[in-house]
Amino acid sequence: MAIRWKTKIFFLAATVLFLKPNFAAPKYFPPDLPDVLRPEVERFRESYLSLERGAELFVILKNGERYRHYVRRRLLEENMPLALEFIPVIESSYKANAAPKDGRSVGLWQFLENSIEGYLRKNEWLDERLDPWKSTDAALKKLKANYDTFGDWLLAIAAYNCGAGAVGRALEKSSEKNFWALSEKKLIPDHAINYVPRLLAIADIAANEEFYEADLPKFSFDAETYSPLDDFDYVEVSSQIYLKRLAMEMRLDEKILFYLNPALLKGVTPPNETYEIRLPAGMENSARDAICALMSERENADTE
């Protein structure tokens, strides 16, 4: 079990002062969200530094690597705190198809159906909550809107959990306009009270794996040397295209197209509207040729 951070800080200070070792102590890097050393955060930090919860966190972060790169890239592009990368740890264990038993919230960022207007689409043909890339863009848009409303990232995060309306009403009842005051006075739901310190604890441990002697997967993304990359191509279609047929025509493993287009509930683009199919990078021209062949095949079938 990892050493408690307070104990470890005392030990390191004593070592430096009295023993004067010839080795450098691990550096501590504060996350880009405030108040990570509050006692409310410490409770969750101790939990995630235990063997059992630490192993759980390792698996979640490891399985989420395929999406964490995109999330972090978008946070950088939007100039938002990188600690927000760990919201899906709490929301979905970084599973793109996560759906609780009640079925009310879905996907990486666990959008409720009644909260997607203006952010994502859902109908009989598609559910964009299941698209980890589109839902990431939507979640960051919502978080940014919350921040613009409250001017405070902790309040913005709490609002993501319990709703901007709930946080706004709570602030009206409090003379102190910060998350911790709302939490102490229990002016917001218990799940929101725990949500923020839990996120801060995870972000702190992830930023200071060596300091806490935490066992987390190595994540090969260097924010200092980051440069945007084009991971995908897109092709726009104006009639229904079955992913399976498109993959066959492109001589591409159909699993790749289904993985890249998880919002398509029936494996086919919606009728009577244009839709962008996501493709592996560099395959736009191949997809266009394949779609032309499929359209020609369909036209020939209609004339027979």
Side-chain angles (χ1 to χ4, degrees), residues 47-94:
S47 175
Y48 280 108
L49 287 173
S50 69
L51 288 177
E52 182 177 355
R53 295 301 301 278
E56 175 188 324
L57 184 59
F58 181 99
V59 172
I60 291 172
L61 293 177
K62 183 66 176 176
N63 291 342
E65 283 183 2
R66 67 182 72 179
Y67 306 123
R68 288 175 63 199
H69 283 274
Y70 183 79
V71 173
R72 189 175 295 190
R73 179 180 309 154
R74 293 293 292 117
L75 288 169
L76 284 165
E77 290 169 350
E78 295 296 331
N79 195 28
M80 297 169 70
L82 295 182
L84 299 176
E85 172 190 331
F86 302 102
I87 287 180
V89 172
I90 302 172
E91 291 288 351
S92 64
S93 295
Y94 254 109

mmCIF file of all heavy atoms in Angstrom, residues 47-94:
data_model
loop_
_atom_site.group_PDB
_atom_site.id
_atom_site.type_symbol
_atom_site.label_atom_id
_atom_site.label_comp_id
_atom_site.label_asym_id
_atom_site.label_seq_id
_atom_site.Cartn_x
_atom_site.Cartn_y
_atom_site.Cartn_z
ATOM 1 N N SER A 47 -8.110 6.100 -0.744
ATOM 2 C CA SER A 47 -8.819 4.959 -1.304
ATOM 3 C C SER A 47 -8.170 4.485 -2.596
ATOM 4 O O SER A 47 -7.903 3.286 -2.778
ATOM 5 C CB SER A 47 -10.282 5.338 -1.559
ATOM 6 O OG SER A 47 -10.968 4.287 -2.203
ATOM 7 N N TYR A 48 -7.855 5.424 -3.503
ATOM 8 C CA TYR A 48 -7.268 5.045 -4.780
ATOM 9 C C TYR A 48 -5.801 4.641 -4.665
ATOM 10 O O TYR A 48 -5.243 4.042 -5.599
ATOM 11 C CB TYR A 48 -7.418 6.181 -5.790
ATOM 12 C CG TYR A 48 -8.792 6.225 -6.419
ATOM 13 C CD1 TYR A 48 -9.704 7.230 -6.080
ATOM 14 C CD2 TYR A 48 -9.190 5.259 -7.332
ATOM 15 C CE1 TYR A 48 -10.967 7.263 -6.650
ATOM 16 C CE2 TYR A 48 -10.454 5.285 -7.897
ATOM 17 C CZ TYR A 48 -11.334 6.287 -7.560
ATOM 18 O OH TYR A 48 -12.589 6.314 -8.120
ATOM 19 N N LEU A 49 -5.176 4.933 -3.537
ATOM 20 C CA LEU A 49 -3.803 4.481 -3.319
ATOM 21 C C LEU A 49 -3.748 3.123 -2.621
ATOM 22 O O LEU A 49 -2.667 2.582 -2.406
ATOM 23 C CB LEU A 49 -3.025 5.523 -2.498
ATOM 24 C CG LEU A 49 -2.657 6.799 -3.257
ATOM 25 C CD1 LEU A 49 -2.040 7.828 -2.317
ATOM 26 C CD2 LEU A 49 -1.717 6.503 -4.421
ATOM 27 N N SER A 50 -4.909 2.579 -2.278
ATOM 28 C CA SER A 50 -4.946 1.229 -1.714
ATOM 29 C C SER A 50 -4.695 0.221 -2.834
ATOM 30 O O SER A 50 -4.850 0.529 -4.024
ATOM 31 C CB SER A 50 -6.292 0.959 -1.061
ATOM 32 O OG SER A 50 -7.315 0.873 -2.038
ATOM 33 N N LEU A 51 -4.324 -0.994 -2.463
ATOM 34 C CA LEU A 51 -4.017 -2.002 -3.468
ATOM 35 C C LEU A 51 -5.214 -2.301 -4.358
ATOM 36 O O LEU A 51 -5.107 -2.368 -5.586
ATOM 37 C CB LEU A 51 -3.533 -3.285 -2.776
ATOM 38 C CG LEU A 51 -2.135 -3.242 -2.157
ATOM 39 C CD1 LEU A 51 -1.826 -4.547 -1.444
ATOM 40 C CD2 LEU A 51 -1.082 -2.969 -3.234
ATOM 41 N N GLU A 52 -6.380 -2.464 -3.754
ATOM 42 C CA GLU A 52 -7.564 -2.864 -4.510
ATOM 43 C C GLU A 52 -8.026 -1.761 -5.460
ATOM 44 O O GLU A 52 -8.194 -1.983 -6.659
ATOM 45 C CB GLU A 52 -8.698 -3.236 -3.551
ATOM 46 C CG GLU A 52 -9.952 -3.717 -4.261
ATOM 47 C CD GLU A 52 -11.038 -4.137 -3.291
ATOM 48 O OE1 GLU A 52 -10.781 -4.149 -2.065
ATOM 49 O OE2 GLU A 52 -12.147 -4.454 -3.760
ATOM 50 N N ARG A 53 -8.226 -0.558 -4.936
ATOM 51 C CA ARG A 53 -8.701 0.536 -5.780
ATOM 52 C C ARG A 53 -7.610 0.978 -6.748
ATOM 53 O O ARG A 53 -7.910 1.430 -7.861
ATOM 54 C CB ARG A 53 -9.153 1.725 -4.921
ATOM 55 C CG ARG A 53 -10.359 1.464 -4.048
ATOM 56 C CD ARG A 53 -11.584 1.062 -4.840
ATOM 57 N NE ARG A 53 -12.022 2.038 -5.813
ATOM 58 C CZ ARG A 53 -12.767 3.114 -5.553
ATOM 59 N NH1 ARG A 53 -13.142 3.362 -4.291
ATOM 60 N NH2 ARG A 53 -13.159 3.930 -6.502
ATOM 61 N N GLY A 54 -6.348 0.864 -6.332
ATOM 62 C CA GLY A 54 -5.259 1.207 -7.236
ATOM 63 C C GLY A 54 -5.231 0.293 -8.448
ATOM 64 O O GLY A 54 -5.010 0.742 -9.577
ATOM 65 N N ALA A 55 -5.454 -1.001 -8.213
ATOM 66 C CA ALA A 55 -5.501 -1.956 -9.322
ATOM 67 C C ALA A 55 -6.681 -1.660 -10.241
ATOM 68 O O ALA A 55 -6.581 -1.762 -11.469
ATOM 69 C CB ALA A 55 -5.600 -3.377 -8.775
ATOM 70 N N GLU A 56 -7.795 -1.270 -9.646
ATOM 71 C CA GLU A 56 -8.973 -0.905 -10.424
ATOM 72 C C GLU A 56 -8.692 0.315 -11.302
ATOM 73 O O GLU A 56 -9.048 0.348 -12.482
ATOM 74 C CB GLU A 56 -10.132 -0.614 -9.469
ATOM 75 C CG GLU A 56 -11.398 -0.105 -10.118
ATOM 76 C CD GLU A 56 -12.416 0.327 -9.088
ATOM 77 O OE1 GLU A 56 -12.518 -0.310 -8.025
ATOM 78 O OE2 GLU A 56 -13.125 1.324 -9.341
ATOM 79 N N LEU A 57 -8.027 1.313 -10.725
ATOM 80 C CA LEU A 57 -7.694 2.521 -11.474
ATOM 81 C C LEU A 57 -6.731 2.203 -12.607
ATOM 82 O O LEU A 57 -6.850 2.754 -13.713
ATOM 83 C CB LEU A 57 -7.099 3.566 -10.537
ATOM 84 C CG LEU A 57 -6.783 4.935 -11.139
ATOM 85 C CD1 LEU A 57 -8.029 5.579 -11.731
ATOM 86 C CD2 LEU A 57 -6.156 5.855 -10.088
ATOM 87 N N PHE A 58 -5.776 1.319 -12.371
ATOM 88 C CA PHE A 58 -4.822 0.912 -13.402
ATOM 89 C C PHE A 58 -5.567 0.355 -14.610
ATOM 90 O O PHE A 58 -5.307 0.744 -15.756
ATOM 91 C CB PHE A 58 -3.855 -0.140 -12.853
ATOM 92 C CG PHE A 58 -2.818 -0.598 -13.847
ATOM 93 C CD1 PHE A 58 -1.539 -0.072 -13.821
ATOM 94 C CD2 PHE A 58 -3.121 -1.555 -14.807
ATOM 95 C CE1 PHE A 58 -0.582 -0.488 -14.744
ATOM 96 C CE2 PHE A 58 -2.176 -1.968 -15.738
ATOM 97 C CZ PHE A 58 -0.902 -1.428 -15.699
ATOM 98 N N VAL A 59 -6.490 -0.561 -14.366
ATOM 99 C CA VAL A 59 -7.237 -1.208 -15.463
ATOM 100 C C VAL A 59 -8.063 -0.183 -16.228
ATOM 101 O O VAL A 59 -8.107 -0.195 -17.460
ATOM 102 C CB VAL A 59 -8.131 -2.333 -14.908
ATOM 103 C CG1 VAL A 59 -9.057 -2.868 -15.995
ATOM 104 C CG2 VAL A 59 -7.278 -3.459 -14.344
ATOM 105 N N ILE A 60 -8.729 0.713 -15.503
ATOM 106 C CA ILE A 60 -9.569 1.720 -16.157
ATOM 107 C C ILE A 60 -8.732 2.606 -17.078
ATOM 108 O O ILE A 60 -9.096 2.845 -18.229
ATOM 109 C CB ILE A 60 -10.291 2.581 -15.104
ATOM 110 C CG1 ILE A 60 -11.348 1.747 -14.373
ATOM 111 C CG2 ILE A 60 -10.952 3.794 -15.768
ATOM 112 C CD1 ILE A 60 -11.965 2.465 -13.193
ATOM 113 N N LEU A 61 -7.605 3.098 -16.571
ATOM 114 C CA LEU A 61 -6.759 3.986 -17.366
ATOM 115 C C LEU A 61 -6.118 3.252 -18.536
ATOM 116 O O LEU A 61 -5.949 3.812 -19.623
ATOM 117 C CB LEU A 61 -5.697 4.635 -16.486
ATOM 118 C CG LEU A 61 -6.226 5.615 -15.435
ATOM 119 C CD1 LEU A 61 -5.085 6.145 -14.580
ATOM 120 C CD2 LEU A 61 -6.967 6.774 -16.100
ATOM 121 N N LYS A 62 -5.757 2.005 -18.328
ATOM 122 C CA LYS A 62 -5.155 1.213 -19.401
ATOM 123 C C LYS A 62 -6.164 0.974 -20.516
ATOM 124 O O LYS A 62 -5.857 1.171 -21.700
ATOM 125 C CB LYS A 62 -4.652 -0.128 -18.853
ATOM 126 C CG LYS A 62 -3.935 -0.992 -19.886
ATOM 127 C CD LYS A 62 -2.635 -0.354 -20.334
ATOM 128 C CE LYS A 62 -1.875 -1.246 -21.289
ATOM 129 N NZ LYS A 62 -0.643 -0.584 -21.792
ATOM 130 N N ASN A 63 -7.371 0.566 -20.147
ATOM 131 C CA ASN A 63 -8.395 0.291 -21.153
ATOM 132 C C ASN A 63 -8.850 1.568 -21.855
ATOM 133 O O ASN A 63 -9.344 1.516 -22.987
ATOM 134 C CB ASN A 63 -9.593 -0.403 -20.506
ATOM 135 C CG ASN A 63 -9.272 -1.815 -20.055
ATOM 136 O OD1 ASN A 63 -8.290 -2.418 -20.501
ATOM 137 N ND2 ASN A 63 -10.081 -2.360 -19.174
ATOM 138 N N GLY A 64 -8.689 2.706 -21.180
ATOM 139 C CA GLY A 64 -9.151 3.962 -21.753
ATOM 140 C C GLY A 64 -8.140 4.668 -22.631
ATOM 141 O O GLY A 64 -8.436 5.747 -23.161
ATOM 142 N N GLU A 65 -6.957 4.100 -22.821
ATOM 143 C CA GLU A 65 -5.896 4.792 -23.557
ATOM 144 C C GLU A 65 -6.317 5.162 -24.981
ATOM 145 O O GLU A 65 -5.951 6.213 -25.492
ATOM 146 C CB GLU A 65 -4.626 3.941 -23.586
ATOM 147 C CG GLU A 65 -3.851 3.981 -22.279
ATOM 148 C CD GLU A 65 -2.562 3.186 -22.346
ATOM 149 O OE1 GLU A 65 -2.273 2.637 -23.428
ATOM 150 O OE2 GLU A 65 -1.857 3.119 -21.331
ATOM 151 N N ARG A 66 -7.114 4.304 -25.608
ATOM 152 C CA ARG A 66 -7.505 4.567 -26.998
ATOM 153 C C ARG A 66 -8.313 5.855 -27.119
ATOM 154 O O ARG A 66 -8.327 6.491 -28.169
ATOM 155 C CB ARG A 66 -8.324 3.393 -27.554
ATOM 156 C CG ARG A 66 -9.686 3.218 -26.899
ATOM 157 C CD ARG A 66 -10.415 2.028 -27.459
ATOM 158 N NE ARG A 66 -9.804 0.792 -27.009
ATOM 159 C CZ ARG A 66 -10.266 -0.425 -27.355
ATOM 160 N NH1 ARG A 66 -11.303 -0.527 -28.162
ATOM 161 N NH2 ARG A 66 -9.682 -1.506 -26.900
ATOM 162 N N TYR A 67 -8.981 6.262 -26.021
ATOM 163 C CA TYR A 67 -9.780 7.487 -26.029
ATOM 164 C C TYR A 67 -9.096 8.635 -25.296
ATOM 165 O O TYR A 67 -9.347 9.804 -25.594
ATOM 166 C CB TYR A 67 -11.149 7.231 -25.403
ATOM 167 C CG TYR A 67 -11.886 6.079 -26.039
ATOM 168 C CD1 TYR A 67 -12.319 4.987 -25.286
ATOM 169 C CD2 TYR A 67 -12.127 6.062 -27.419
ATOM 170 C CE1 TYR A 67 -12.980 3.929 -25.871
ATOM 171 C CE2 TYR A 67 -12.790 5.006 -28.016
ATOM 172 C CZ TYR A 67 -13.218 3.930 -27.236
ATOM 173 O OH TYR A 67 -13.861 2.878 -27.829
ATOM 174 N N ARG A 68 -8.236 8.335 -24.350
ATOM 175 C CA ARG A 68 -7.573 9.386 -23.571
ATOM 176 C C ARG A 68 -6.730 10.297 -24.456
ATOM 177 O O ARG A 68 -6.636 11.502 -24.201
ATOM 178 C CB ARG A 68 -6.699 8.766 -22.474
ATOM 179 C CG ARG A 68 -7.483 8.151 -21.325
ATOM 180 C CD ARG A 68 -6.558 7.465 -20.350
ATOM 181 N NE ARG A 68 -5.648 8.416 -19.724
ATOM 182 C CZ ARG A 68 -4.517 8.058 -19.121
ATOM 183 N NH1 ARG A 68 -4.142 6.781 -19.092
ATOM 184 N NH2 ARG A 68 -3.754 8.975 -18.558
ATOM 185 N N HIS A 69 -6.111 9.751 -25.493
ATOM 186 C CA HIS A 69 -5.333 10.581 -26.407
ATOM 187 C C HIS A 69 -6.214 11.656 -27.029
ATOM 188 O O HIS A 69 -5.829 12.834 -27.095
ATOM 189 C CB HIS A 69 -4.700 9.718 -27.510
ATOM 190 C CG HIS A 69 -3.503 8.969 -27.055
ATOM 191 N ND1 HIS A 69 -2.248 9.515 -27.067
ATOM 192 C CD2 HIS A 69 -3.361 7.709 -26.566
ATOM 193 C CE1 HIS A 69 -1.372 8.631 -26.606
ATOM 194 N NE2 HIS A 69 -2.026 7.535 -26.293
ATOM 195 N N TYR A 70 -7.388 11.265 -27.487
ATOM 196 C CA TYR A 70 -8.282 12.237 -28.113
ATOM 197 C C TYR A 70 -8.786 13.250 -27.092
ATOM 198 O O TYR A 70 -8.833 14.454 -27.368
ATOM 199 C CB TYR A 70 -9.465 11.524 -28.772
ATOM 200 C CG TYR A 70 -10.382 12.475 -29.507
ATOM 201 C CD1 TYR A 70 -10.046 12.944 -30.772
ATOM 202 C CD2 TYR A 70 -11.568 12.914 -28.930
ATOM 203 C CE1 TYR A 70 -10.874 13.826 -31.453
ATOM 204 C CE2 TYR A 70 -12.400 13.801 -29.600
ATOM 205 C CZ TYR A 70 -12.056 14.249 -30.864
ATOM 206 O OH TYR A 70 -12.869 15.129 -31.527
ATOM 207 N N VAL A 71 -9.161 12.767 -25.904
ATOM 208 C CA VAL A 71 -9.660 13.665 -24.869
ATOM 209 C C VAL A 71 -8.604 14.705 -24.513
ATOM 210 O O VAL A 71 -8.892 15.913 -24.452
ATOM 211 C CB VAL A 71 -10.077 12.872 -23.605
ATOM 212 C CG1 VAL A 71 -10.446 13.828 -22.470
ATOM 213 C CG2 VAL A 71 -11.256 11.954 -23.917
ATOM 214 N N ARG A 72 -7.375 14.263 -24.311
ATOM 215 C CA ARG A 72 -6.318 15.204 -23.921
ATOM 216 C C ARG A 72 -6.021 16.187 -25.050
ATOM 217 O O ARG A 72 -5.804 17.374 -24.809
ATOM 218 C CB ARG A 72 -5.048 14.456 -23.519
ATOM 219 C CG ARG A 72 -4.020 15.389 -22.894
ATOM 220 C CD ARG A 72 -2.811 14.659 -22.372
ATOM 221 N NE ARG A 72 -3.129 13.764 -21.268
ATOM 222 C CZ ARG A 72 -2.202 13.159 -20.527
ATOM 223 N NH1 ARG A 72 -0.927 13.367 -20.769
ATOM 224 N NH2 ARG A 72 -2.567 12.344 -19.557
ATOM 225 N N ARG A 73 -6.020 15.705 -26.270
ATOM 226 C CA ARG A 73 -5.772 16.583 -27.403
ATOM 227 C C ARG A 73 -6.834 17.680 -27.463
ATOM 228 O O ARG A 73 -6.528 18.855 -27.664
ATOM 229 C CB ARG A 73 -5.776 15.778 -28.699
ATOM 230 C CG ARG A 73 -5.545 16.617 -29.953
ATOM 231 C CD ARG A 73 -5.565 15.752 -31.189
ATOM 232 N NE ARG A 73 -4.670 14.626 -31.011
ATOM 233 C CZ ARG A 73 -4.811 13.468 -31.627
ATOM 234 N NH1 ARG A 73 -5.817 13.280 -32.435
ATOM 235 N NH2 ARG A 73 -3.941 12.497 -31.432
ATOM 236 N N ARG A 74 -8.083 17.307 -27.298
ATOM 237 C CA ARG A 74 -9.157 18.289 -27.368
ATOM 238 C C ARG A 74 -9.089 19.278 -26.202
ATOM 239 O O ARG A 74 -9.375 20.466 -26.366
ATOM 240 C CB ARG A 74 -10.510 17.580 -27.386
ATOM 241 C CG ARG A 74 -10.756 16.771 -28.655
ATOM 242 C CD ARG A 74 -10.906 17.649 -29.891
ATOM 243 N NE ARG A 74 -12.133 18.424 -29.807
ATOM 244 C CZ ARG A 74 -12.201 19.743 -29.743
ATOM 245 N NH1 ARG A 74 -11.092 20.480 -29.794
ATOM 246 N NH2 ARG A 74 -13.357 20.355 -29.655
ATOM 247 N N LEU A 75 -8.700 18.795 -25.032
ATOM 248 C CA LEU A 75 -8.536 19.709 -23.896
ATOM 249 C C LEU A 75 -7.449 20.737 -24.179
ATOM 250 O O LEU A 75 -7.594 21.922 -23.852
ATOM 251 C CB LEU A 75 -8.195 18.918 -22.632
ATOM 252 C CG LEU A 75 -9.335 18.097 -22.016
ATOM 253 C CD1 LEU A 75 -8.799 17.166 -20.934
ATOM 254 C CD2 LEU A 75 -10.424 19.002 -21.433
ATOM 255 N N LEU A 76 -6.366 20.301 -24.786
ATOM 256 C CA LEU A 76 -5.291 21.221 -25.149
ATOM 257 C C LEU A 76 -5.769 22.231 -26.176
ATOM 258 O O LEU A 76 -5.489 23.424 -26.074
ATOM 259 C CB LEU A 76 -4.096 20.434 -25.683
ATOM 260 C CG LEU A 76 -3.244 19.705 -24.640
ATOM 261 C CD1 LEU A 76 -2.341 18.697 -25.321
ATOM 262 C CD2 LEU A 76 -2.422 20.696 -23.837
ATOM 263 N N GLU A 77 -6.494 21.751 -27.157
ATOM 264 C CA GLU A 77 -6.972 22.639 -28.209
ATOM 265 C C GLU A 77 -7.951 23.680 -27.672
ATOM 266 O O GLU A 77 -7.987 24.819 -28.145
ATOM 267 C CB GLU A 77 -7.639 21.821 -29.313
ATOM 268 C CG GLU A 77 -6.655 20.988 -30.122
ATOM 269 C CD GLU A 77 -7.328 19.981 -31.036
ATOM 270 O OE1 GLU A 77 -8.554 19.784 -30.911
ATOM 271 O OE2 GLU A 77 -6.612 19.395 -31.868
ATOM 272 N N GLU A 78 -8.735 23.281 -26.665
ATOM 273 C CA GLU A 78 -9.723 24.200 -26.083
ATOM 274 C C GLU A 78 -9.171 24.976 -24.889
ATOM 275 O O GLU A 78 -9.896 25.756 -24.271
ATOM 276 C CB GLU A 78 -10.958 23.408 -25.648
ATOM 277 C CG GLU A 78 -11.722 22.752 -26.780
ATOM 278 C CD GLU A 78 -12.318 23.755 -27.746
ATOM 279 O OE1 GLU A 78 -12.641 24.885 -27.310
ATOM 280 O OE2 GLU A 78 -12.445 23.428 -28.940
ATOM 281 N N ASN A 79 -7.897 24.748 -24.556
ATOM 282 C CA ASN A 79 -7.258 25.428 -23.422
ATOM 283 C C ASN A 79 -8.052 25.212 -22.130
ATOM 284 O O ASN A 79 -8.317 26.146 -21.371
ATOM 285 C CB ASN A 79 -7.110 26.926 -23.707
ATOM 286 C CG ASN A 79 -6.147 27.606 -22.745
ATOM 287 O OD1 ASN A 79 -5.217 26.983 -22.222
ATOM 288 N ND2 ASN A 79 -6.374 28.879 -22.478
ATOM 289 N N MET A 80 -8.396 23.960 -21.887
ATOM 290 C CA MET A 80 -9.136 23.575 -20.683
ATOM 291 C C MET A 80 -8.236 22.749 -19.777
ATOM 292 O O MET A 80 -7.239 22.176 -20.236
ATOM 293 C CB MET A 80 -10.391 22.780 -21.073
ATOM 294 C CG MET A 80 -11.378 23.587 -21.910
ATOM 295 S SD MET A 80 -12.702 22.576 -22.632
ATOM 296 C CE MET A 80 -13.654 22.155 -21.145
ATOM 297 N N PRO A 81 -8.529 22.660 -18.471
ATOM 298 C CA PRO A 81 -7.668 21.890 -17.558
ATOM 299 C C PRO A 81 -7.531 20.438 -17.991
ATOM 300 O O PRO A 81 -8.531 19.760 -18.258
ATOM 301 C CB PRO A 81 -8.418 22.001 -16.221
ATOM 302 C CG PRO A 81 -9.225 23.238 -16.322
ATOM 303 C CD PRO A 81 -9.633 23.337 -17.761
ATOM 304 N N LEU A 82 -6.297 19.955 -18.035
ATOM 305 C CA LEU A 82 -6.061 18.572 -18.444
ATOM 306 C C LEU A 82 -6.610 17.578 -17.431
ATOM 307 O O LEU A 82 -6.857 16.418 -17.771
ATOM 308 C CB LEU A 82 -4.566 18.335 -18.650
ATOM 309 C CG LEU A 82 -3.912 19.113 -19.798
ATOM 310 C CD1 LEU A 82 -2.437 18.739 -19.909
ATOM 311 C CD2 LEU A 82 -4.628 18.856 -21.119
ATOM 312 N N ALA A 83 -6.820 18.015 -16.205
ATOM 313 C CA ALA A 83 -7.380 17.124 -15.182
ATOM 314 C C ALA A 83 -8.786 16.662 -15.544
ATOM 315 O O ALA A 83 -9.254 15.628 -15.044
ATOM 316 C CB ALA A 83 -7.397 17.823 -13.821
ATOM 317 N N LEU A 84 -9.462 17.382 -16.434
ATOM 318 C CA LEU A 84 -10.802 16.969 -16.862
ATOM 319 C C LEU A 84 -10.769 15.653 -17.633
ATOM 320 O O LEU A 84 -11.803 15.005 -17.824
ATOM 321 C CB LEU A 84 -11.425 18.062 -17.726
ATOM 322 C CG LEU A 84 -11.626 19.432 -17.062
ATOM 323 C CD1 LEU A 84 -12.154 20.436 -18.073
ATOM 324 C CD2 LEU A 84 -12.555 19.327 -15.863
ATOM 325 N N GLU A 85 -9.586 15.265 -18.064
ATOM 326 C CA GLU A 85 -9.403 13.976 -18.752
ATOM 327 C C GLU A 85 -9.918 12.807 -17.928
ATOM 328 O O GLU A 85 -10.280 11.753 -18.476
ATOM 329 C CB GLU A 85 -7.914 13.786 -19.051
ATOM 330 C CG GLU A 85 -7.518 12.434 -19.598
ATOM 331 C CD GLU A 85 -6.003 12.267 -19.627
ATOM 332 O OE1 GLU A 85 -5.282 13.272 -19.763
ATOM 333 O OE2 GLU A 85 -5.549 11.122 -19.497
ATOM 334 N N PHE A 86 -9.983 12.974 -16.607
ATOM 335 C CA PHE A 86 -10.314 11.848 -15.744
ATOM 336 C C PHE A 86 -11.794 11.790 -15.357
ATOM 337 O O PHE A 86 -12.195 10.903 -14.606
ATOM 338 C CB PHE A 86 -9.421 11.884 -14.499
ATOM 339 C CG PHE A 86 -7.958 11.834 -14.862
ATOM 340 C CD1 PHE A 86 -7.185 12.988 -14.850
ATOM 341 C CD2 PHE A 86 -7.376 10.653 -15.281
ATOM 342 C CE1 PHE A 86 -5.858 12.960 -15.226
ATOM 343 C CE2 PHE A 86 -6.039 10.613 -15.664
ATOM 344 C CZ PHE A 86 -5.281 11.761 -15.638
ATOM 345 N N ILE A 87 -12.600 12.691 -15.897
ATOM 346 C CA ILE A 87 -14.042 12.599 -15.658
ATOM 347 C C ILE A 87 -14.604 11.263 -16.152
ATOM 348 O O ILE A 87 -15.409 10.629 -15.451
ATOM 349 C CB ILE A 87 -14.774 13.806 -16.285
ATOM 350 C CG1 ILE A 87 -14.509 15.065 -15.444
ATOM 351 C CG2 ILE A 87 -16.275 13.547 -16.392
ATOM 352 C CD1 ILE A 87 -15.178 16.322 -15.975
ATOM 353 N N PRO A 88 -14.214 10.771 -17.344
ATOM 354 C CA PRO A 88 -14.751 9.474 -17.778
ATOM 355 C C PRO A 88 -14.337 8.301 -16.886
ATOM 356 O O PRO A 88 -14.981 7.243 -16.943
ATOM 357 C CB PRO A 88 -14.185 9.307 -19.192
ATOM 358 C CG PRO A 88 -13.938 10.703 -19.660
ATOM 359 C CD PRO A 88 -13.468 11.435 -18.438
ATOM 360 N N VAL A 89 -13.279 8.459 -16.091
ATOM 361 C CA VAL A 89 -12.944 7.402 -15.126
ATOM 362 C C VAL A 89 -14.113 7.208 -14.175
ATOM 363 O O VAL A 89 -14.521 6.077 -13.875
ATOM 364 C CB VAL A 89 -11.667 7.767 -14.334
ATOM 365 C CG1 VAL A 89 -11.432 6.764 -13.207
ATOM 366 C CG2 VAL A 89 -10.454 7.825 -15.255
ATOM 367 N N ILE A 90 -14.683 8.310 -13.707
ATOM 368 C CA ILE A 90 -15.800 8.262 -12.774
ATOM 369 C C ILE A 90 -17.094 7.918 -13.494
ATOM 370 O O ILE A 90 -17.896 7.108 -13.017
ATOM 371 C CB ILE A 90 -15.959 9.611 -12.044
ATOM 372 C CG1 ILE A 90 -14.671 9.964 -11.299
ATOM 373 C CG2 ILE A 90 -17.137 9.582 -11.086
ATOM 374 C CD1 ILE A 90 -14.674 11.363 -10.705
ATOM 375 N N GLU A 91 -17.288 8.524 -14.653
ATOM 376 C CA GLU A 91 -18.563 8.376 -15.350
ATOM 377 C C GLU A 91 -18.777 6.978 -15.915
ATOM 378 O O GLU A 91 -19.863 6.410 -15.781
ATOM 379 C CB GLU A 91 -18.651 9.408 -16.488
ATOM 380 C CG GLU A 91 -18.787 10.847 -16.024
ATOM 381 C CD GLU A 91 -20.160 11.143 -15.454
ATOM 382 O OE1 GLU A 91 -21.065 10.287 -15.562
ATOM 383 O OE2 GLU A 91 -20.333 12.239 -14.890
ATOM 384 N N SER A 92 -17.771 6.436 -16.569
ATOM 385 C CA SER A 92 -17.992 5.213 -17.354
ATOM 386 C C SER A 92 -16.888 4.183 -17.242
ATOM 387 O O SER A 92 -16.925 3.186 -17.966
ATOM 388 C CB SER A 92 -18.138 5.594 -18.830
ATOM 389 O OG SER A 92 -16.919 6.156 -19.303
ATOM 390 N N SER A 93 -15.903 4.423 -16.375
ATOM 391 C CA SER A 93 -14.691 3.599 -16.353
ATOM 392 C C SER A 93 -14.028 3.592 -17.730
ATOM 393 O O SER A 93 -13.401 2.627 -18.139
ATOM 394 C CB SER A 93 -14.992 2.170 -15.898
ATOM 395 O OG SER A 93 -15.442 2.155 -14.568
ATOM 396 N N TYR A 94 -14.175 4.698 -18.452
ATOM 397 C CA TYR A 94 -13.621 4.891 -19.789
ATOM 398 C C TYR A 94 -14.109 3.831 -20.781
ATOM 399 O O TYR A 94 -13.382 3.415 -21.688
ATOM 400 C CB TYR A 94 -12.104 4.948 -19.768
ATOM 401 C CG TYR A 94 -11.572 6.360 -19.963
ATOM 402 C CD1 TYR A 94 -10.980 7.063 -18.925
ATOM 403 C CD2 TYR A 94 -11.689 6.994 -21.193
ATOM 404 C CE1 TYR A 94 -10.521 8.370 -19.102
ATOM 405 C CE2 TYR A 94 -11.226 8.289 -21.378
ATOM 406 C CZ TYR A 94 -10.648 8.971 -20.337
ATOM 407 O OH TYR A 94 -10.196 10.258 -20.531
#
